[in-house]
């Protein structure tokens, strides 16, 4: 508990330190930012500096063609036989997972550094940038939803679809816009920075940068889920529960109630589930753990000076 209180104090103090120019967050080249798993079991790993990696029966190996993707990869999304790769410097690419060839996409100025990546129910693919707002893929070209987006909507960390609206988790709070309407996002009731969004059992969950997880039920106001705290980096559906992971804990959420899970890591950054219901968790320290029940985890891979390597058991 003392450790969590100290970490929470550090997290709450960090924006002030950065603003004063007294501290900067280090760039973790091996931080695992995103995981994606194909139906055939192939695992794709996004590292923030070490690039894109694929893991299959042949083992882990880096994937790069003609200098792509940009080595700082923030987010991955699979759609049919396509892998979308959102980077922090090279825009968003699309890889054909059958031919392993990149498909030509026209990038949009200002959308080189990305966080959010999602596909709406009508098939449209959206990206959220660091500084330029939101863009949609139109005829194989990324098209900004608005030129010169307002500062409140410029930094987009997560996008989901819920109640026929697109919900944006931004650096200034939560916003929503009619899914197929004119682009005029309106502020929702959650007025704090949002890292990640996920809809589960008709409830919108928001993982924040400093206050754990909030739940928003239909026609309701956001309420913090007791027991969750600090920065939350991912939300992941696993069976009938929702898992949340971040700097200060790893939680199971059921019926808008959280239970903390004891895990062998304290820096969870992302998660994914394969067709066999195996849960994978990537960490800030460049490690990958897996579990078949969401409780007992095995350390399976790590980044070393040689790249991503399987852990000897």
């Amino acid at each position: 508990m003392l450790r969590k209180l100290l970490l929470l104090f550090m997290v709450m103090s960090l924006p002030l330190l950065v603003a004063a120019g007294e501290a900067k967050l280090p760039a973790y080249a091996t931080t695992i930012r995103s995981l994606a798993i194909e139906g055939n079991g192939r695992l794709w790993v996004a590292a923030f500096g070490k690039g894109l990696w694929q893991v299959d029966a042949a083992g882990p190996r880096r994937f790069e063609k003609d200098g792509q993707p940009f080595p700082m990869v923030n987010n991955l999304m699979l759609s049919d036989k396509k892998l979308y790769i959102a980077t922090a410097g090279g825009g968003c690419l699309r890889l054909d997972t059958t031919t392993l060839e990149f498909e030509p996409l026209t990038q949009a100025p200002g959308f080189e550094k990305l966080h959010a990546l999602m596909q709406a129910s009508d098939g449209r693919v959206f990206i959220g940038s660091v500084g330029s707002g939101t863009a949609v893929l139109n005829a194989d070209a990324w098209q900004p939803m608005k030129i010169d987006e307002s500062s409140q909507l410029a930094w987009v960390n997560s996008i989901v679809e819920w109640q026929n609206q697109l919900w944006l988790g931004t650096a200034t709070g939560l916003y929503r816009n009619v899914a197929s309407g004119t682009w005029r996002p309106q502020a929702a009731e959650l007025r704090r920075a949002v890292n990640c969004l996920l809809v589960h059992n008709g409830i919108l969950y928001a993982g924040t940068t400093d206050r754990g997880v909030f739940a928003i039920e239909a026609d309701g106001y956001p309420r913090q889920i007791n027991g969750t705290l600090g920065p939350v980096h991912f939300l992941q559906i696993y069976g009938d529960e929702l898992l949340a992971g971040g700097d200060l804990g790893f939680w199971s959420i059921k019926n808008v109630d959280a239970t903390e899970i004891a895990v062998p890591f304290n820096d969870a950054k992302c998660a994914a589930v394969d067709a066999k219901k195996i849960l994978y968790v990537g960490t800030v320290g460049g490690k990958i753990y897996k579990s078949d029940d969401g409780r007992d985890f095995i350390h399976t891979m790590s980044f070393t000076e040689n790249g991503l390597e399987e852990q000897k058991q």
Side-chain angles (χ1 to χ4, degrees):
M1 178 58 71
L2 179 59
R3 173 185 172 276
K4 288 187 176 182
L5 291 174
L6 290 172
L7 285 173
L8 182 59
F9 175 77
M10 292 170 62
V11 168
M12 294 175 67
S13 302
L14 183 59
L16 297 176
L17 293 174
V18 173
E22 297 175 9
K24 292 184 179 180
L25 285 172
Y28 293 108
T30 59
T31 293
I32 298 173
R33 296 299 301 261
S34 185
L35 300 169
I37 309 173
E38 296 181 63
N40 60 11
R42 178 163 51 188
L43 171 66
W44 293 93
V45 179
F48 198 68
K50 292 293 185 179
L52 179 66
W53 294 72
Q54 60 174 322
V55 184
D56 53 23
R61 57 204 184 278
R62 186 165 182 173
F63 184 88
E64 186 177 25
K65 283 195 172 183
D66 300 325
Q68 292 184 319
F70 190 78
M72 299 168 72
V73 184
N74 259 333
N75 209 341
L76 302 174
M77 182 182 72
L78 282 165
S79 176
D80 295 327
K81 299 294 184 180
K82 312 294 183 183
L83 177 68
Y84 288 86
I85 306 159
T87 73
C92 187
L93 310 178
R94 186 174 63 199
L95 179 71
D96 186 315
T97 58
T98 300
T99 64
L100 295 182
E101 296 290 340
F102 285 109
E103 299 179 342
L105 297 181
T106 301
Q107 304 298 319
F111 286 82
E112 294 82 14
K113 298 179 180 180
L114 307 172
H115 274 184
L117 177 59
M118 70 84 70
Q119 186 167 30
S121 58
D122 60 8
R124 290 181 299 166
V125 176
F126 292 86
I127 51 176
S129 78
V130 179
S132 296
T134 307
V136 64
L137 189 61
N138 183 14
D140 290 338
W142 294 109
Q143 176 181 319
M145 300 301 292
K146 182 181 179 180
I147 302 298
D148 297 326
E149 186 62 273
S150 68
S151 59
Q152 291 85 356
L153 298 167
W155 187 309
V156 183
N157 291 324
S158 187
I159 308 172
V160 296
E161 185 176 10
W162 184 52
Q163 294 186 323
N164 196 36
Q165 297 184 90
L166 292 179
W167 295 73
L168 311 177
T170 79
T172 61
L174 185 64
Y175 295 80
R176 58 189 174 187
N177 195 92
V178 176
S180 57
T182 302
W183 190 251
R184 293 175 182 171
Q186 302 297 310
E189 290 79 12
L190 187 57
R191 304 292 184 145
R192 61 179 61 256
V194 175
N195 265 337
C196 51
L197 297 170
L198 189 68
V199 177
H200 180 53
N201 290 337
I203 300 173
L204 175 62
Y205 291 90
T208 67
T209 63
D210 62 349
R211 291 292 188 276
V213 181
F214 284 74
I216 307 171
E217 301 185 62
D219 301 322
Y221 288 93
R223 60 189 179 98
Q224 187 177 13
I225 297 179
N226 290 334
T228 64
L229 70 164
V232 172
H233 299 301
F234 74 82
L235 299 167
Q236 174 67 54
I237 296 173
Y238 187 62
D240 63 348
E241 62 185 332
L242 177 67
L243 299 178
D247 290 355
L248 302 182
F250 190 87
W251 300 274
S252 167
I253 299 173
K254 288 185 178 181
N255 301 320
V256 200
D257 186 45
T259 301
E260 187 168 7
I261 302 172
V263 292
F265 46 84
N266 58 15
D267 57 347
K269 192 68 175 179
C270 60
V273 179
D274 70 10
K276 297 179 180 180
K277 309 302 181 185
I278 302 298
L279 172 69
Y280 290 81
V281 174
T283 72
V284 172
K287 298 178 180 179
I288 297 177
Y289 294 81
K290 71 176 183 179
S291 171
D292 60 5
D293 62 1
R295 301 299 186 272
D296 297 319
F297 285 85
I298 299 172
H299 180 197
T300 61
M301 283 173 272
S302 295
F303 272 104
T304 71
E305 63 275 9
N306 298 319
L308 185 62
E309 295 185 328
E310 293 178 324
Q311 189 74 11
K312 295 180 180 179
Q313 303 297 326

